[in-house]
Amino acid sequence: MENIYQPFQIDGSGSTSAAEEALKQEAYAEKCREILSAGHSAYQKYFIQNEGCQMNALQTETVAGMVRDMGLIKTQQEDEADVVIYNTCTVRENANQKIYGHLGMLKSIKRSRPHMKIVFFGCMMQEPHVIRTIQERYPFVDVVFGTHNIHRFPELFFTSLTQEGQIIDIWKDTDLIVEGLPTDRKYPFKTGVNIMFGCNNFCSYCIVPYVRGREKSREPQAIIREMETLARDGVSEVMLLGQNVNSYGKTLPFPVSFAQLLKEAEKVDGIRRIRFMTSHPKDLGDDLIEAMASGTKICRHLHLPVQSGSSRILSAMNRHYDKEKYLTLVKKLRSAMPDISLTTDIIVGFPGETEEDFQDTLSVVEEAGYDTAFTFIYSKRTGTPAASYDNQVPQEVIKDRFDRLLSLVQEKGRERSSRFAGTVQEILVEEENREKGLLTGRTSHNLLVHFPGDASLIGQYVSVRLDTCKGFYYYGTRV
Ligand code: SAH
Ligand code: SF4
Ligand code: F3S
């Protein structure tokens, strides 16, 4: 099949400015709208699915906004959609396998709906071996793009509507940040805001820097303007997103620190809660602790991935901190904000991890007092330094350690979360619970709370007494 776009063009920072590019894409979106709204158009409904982290989820909402503006209506049923879109993740092998599973399934759906357009984009598409596989084994996929050129979706989709063949457009990296793209938010009252893109840290196990490119920060004015617009639109909680928010602003023409950005963000009228993710322990300075402690809108929750408790493994992971430095940071945070909720990410079975290293991880979980921790089995990612280490840990050893870690994390999490039992907390109500008559919301500490209430409260802040602790969530009563 003919490829009209050259995969792996290096371009990107390229020929046009972000503003010109935005105008050009608006024109393509208009052309798509004309084709899709024509009387005989077979294209009515779209299905979109996100895999991966919150940053992916935000870009999924952007693409959803673009197809919505082209006149398509969202459906939750993939097999009745005329356009099917997947945003992909490749951080661990199982994320990757899941996508191949979807591709297999789509093959049979498309057989009965040949007009269907299938679009795959995001992190996994940045991997050359994946593109080769899609070209060879999944030629029915119509449009493929990566992480750097989301704004070009209208042009790529238009090309697919008007020409034969698979459209593949992958950029290696870009300096371009196109502002003001449309978005279709999951919740009207809370959303993420990207403050930076990419990652420069190259943790030795991690594929993200290869698929997301070099770190670049958005201008603070653009972030604050977006927050103001969101607030006018009814958003009261924002989550500032970046792979390492603590290095925000360092490479801007007029450098700004993340703590300074937070102070500006606090001033936005209508925004009541500010969260952020992810903080890298190596760059977490006293200024951020001060900004958090003195802030009135910054939520009392910090996600601080430790990855391992062993200083030897942390060094092999290229994390630039050791066990002592991490625990000192935790102490500082707790002395500035005694009630803060800490959460973390932990990888089990990094190459060369011994039982002694693993015991260090358990001891950090004992000492740090996490409200909850996300635990992952190490996954070998082609192209990362750790993938070529020859001392991989046997699967049965990893499984045993993983189970031991999980039970400690759950035990400690339950202990820690129970500190709120009987207290009254302010909850932002997010949705109706599956259990009939119950609503679900979150505290500033990011604790989930279910309580009896009416759906009209969704999006509002209410006071709830936390009655029964169930580990990482509570049952409560409105007061
Ligand atoms: N930028 C964030 C994390 C992004 S990826 C940070 O630095 O903390 C989210 C989590 O996935 C990581 O914190 C890590 O725990 C996990 N992860 C990343 N690569 C992995 C791999 N190869 N195997 C298992 N877990 C991995
Ligand atoms: Fe991956 Fe490390 Fe970057 Fe996080 S900081 S995205 S773990 S390389
Ligand atoms: Fe996955 Fe990409 Fe996020 S690999 S975790 S979706 S940055």
Side-chain angles (χ1 to χ4, degrees), residues 7 52 77 94 114 125 139 152-153 161 172 181 201 227 280 288 306 376 381 398 403-404 406 467 471:
Q77 264 175 279
N94 53 4
M125 301 302 125
R152 280 191 98 191
F153 171 73
L161 285 170
K172 278 188 174 160
L181 296 174
N201 293 304
M227 285 179 64
H280 195 309
L288 177 60
V306 65
F376 303 108
R381 307 315 289 132
I398 297 185
D403 291 346
R404 283 188 283 155
L406 195 62
D467 300 321

Side-chain angles (χ1 to χ4, degrees), residues 143-197:
V143 180
V144 180
F145 54 100
T147 56
H148 303 296
N149 50 352
I150 310 271
H151 58 275
R152 280 191 98 191
F153 171 73
E155 181 175 352
L156 302 174
F157 194 63
F158 172 77
T159 312
S160 176
L161 285 170
T162 52
Q163 292 181 26
E164 287 290 308
Q166 194 171 52
I167 311 298
I168 300 183
D169 189 32
I170 309 291
W171 295 3
K172 278 188 174 160
D173 206 343
T174 184
D175 293 330
L176 210 60
I177 298 182
V178 181
E179 297 285 352
L181 296 174
T183 176
D184 183 17
R185 292 197 309 272
K186 182 174 173 199
Y187 298 102
F189 50 86
K190 72 166 200 175
T191 188
V193 172
N194 261 134
I195 63 165
M196 58 208 296
F197 300 91

Side-chain angles (χ1 to χ4, degrees), residues 55-56 58-59 62 147-151 173-181 193-201 208-209 211-219 222-223 226 241-245 247-249 251:
M55 266 163 281
N56 247 28
L58 204 53
Q59 288 182 320
T62 300
T147 56
H148 303 296
N149 50 352
I150 310 271
H151 58 275
D173 206 343
T174 184
D175 293 330
L176 210 60
I177 298 182
V178 181
E179 297 285 352
L181 296 174
V193 172
N194 261 134
I195 63 165
M196 58 208 296
F197 300 91
C199 182
N200 282 355
N201 293 304
V208 171
V211 297
R212 287 266 168 188
R214 295 295 58 74
E215 184 179 296
K216 44 204 161 285
S217 298
R218 278 176 78 193
E219 288 290 345
I223 296 166
E226 182 178 341
L241 293 171
Q243 292 299 350
N244 175 13
V245 293
S247 65
Y248 168 79
T251 53

Side-chain angles (χ1 to χ4, degrees), residues 116-306:
M116 187 187 226
K117 289 284 177 200
I118 299 179
V119 180
F120 272 72
F121 75 104
C123 293
M124 187 175 153
M125 301 302 125
Q126 291 291 140
E127 293 182 277
H129 65 90
V130 172
I131 295 300
R132 277 196 298 276
T133 309
I134 288 187
Q135 286 174 312
E136 285 162 18
R137 296 191 31 210
Y138 305 98
F140 59 86
V141 177
D142 300 284
V143 180
V144 180
F145 54 100
T147 56
H148 303 296
N149 50 352
I150 310 271
H151 58 275
R152 280 191 98 191
F153 171 73
E155 181 175 352
L156 302 174
F157 194 63
F158 172 77
T159 312
S160 176
L161 285 170
T162 52
Q163 292 181 26
E164 287 290 308
Q166 194 171 52
I167 311 298
I168 300 183
D169 189 32
I170 309 291
W171 295 3
K172 278 188 174 160
D173 206 343
T174 184
D175 293 330
L176 210 60
I177 298 182
V178 181
E179 297 285 352
L181 296 174
T183 176
D184 183 17
R185 292 197 309 272
K186 182 174 173 199
Y187 298 102
F189 50 86
K190 72 166 200 175
T191 188
V193 172
N194 261 134
I195 63 165
M196 58 208 296
F197 300 91
C199 182
N200 282 355
N201 293 304
F202 291 95
C203 301
S204 62
Y205 51 82
C206 185
I207 199 152
V208 171
Y210 304 89
V211 297
R212 287 266 168 188
R214 295 295 58 74
E215 184 179 296
K216 44 204 161 285
S217 298
R218 278 176 78 193
E219 288 290 345
Q221 296 84 346
I223 296 166
I224 299 299
R225 258 200 315 272
E226 182 178 341
M227 285 179 64
E228 288 167 349
T229 309
L230 288 167
R232 277 196 297 274
D233 206 25
V235 169
S236 67
E237 181 182 300
V238 293
M239 165 91 83
L240 306 179
L241 293 171
Q243 292 299 350
N244 175 13
V245 293
N246 298 332
S247 65
Y248 168 79
K250 289 187 178 159
T251 53
L252 285 170
F254 298 100
V256 177
S257 71
F258 181 55
Q260 285 170 314
L261 178 72
L262 277 178
K263 294 203 163 170
E264 288 308 307
E266 282 250 345
K267 294 180 195 155
V268 177
D269 281 341
I271 297 295
R272 228 165 123 163
R273 280 183 175 180
I274 301 169
R275 300 185 185 278
F276 55 86
M277 243 174 97
T278 301
S279 276
H280 195 309
K282 81 178 164 70
D283 296 313
L284 199 156
D286 292 346
D287 59 341
L288 177 60
I289 299 179
E290 190 277 320
M292 284 187 83
S294 64
T296 54
K297 298 180 176 179
I298 303 168
C299 289
R300 283 289 182 264
H301 167 225
L302 183 71
H303 186 62
L304 194 63
V306 65

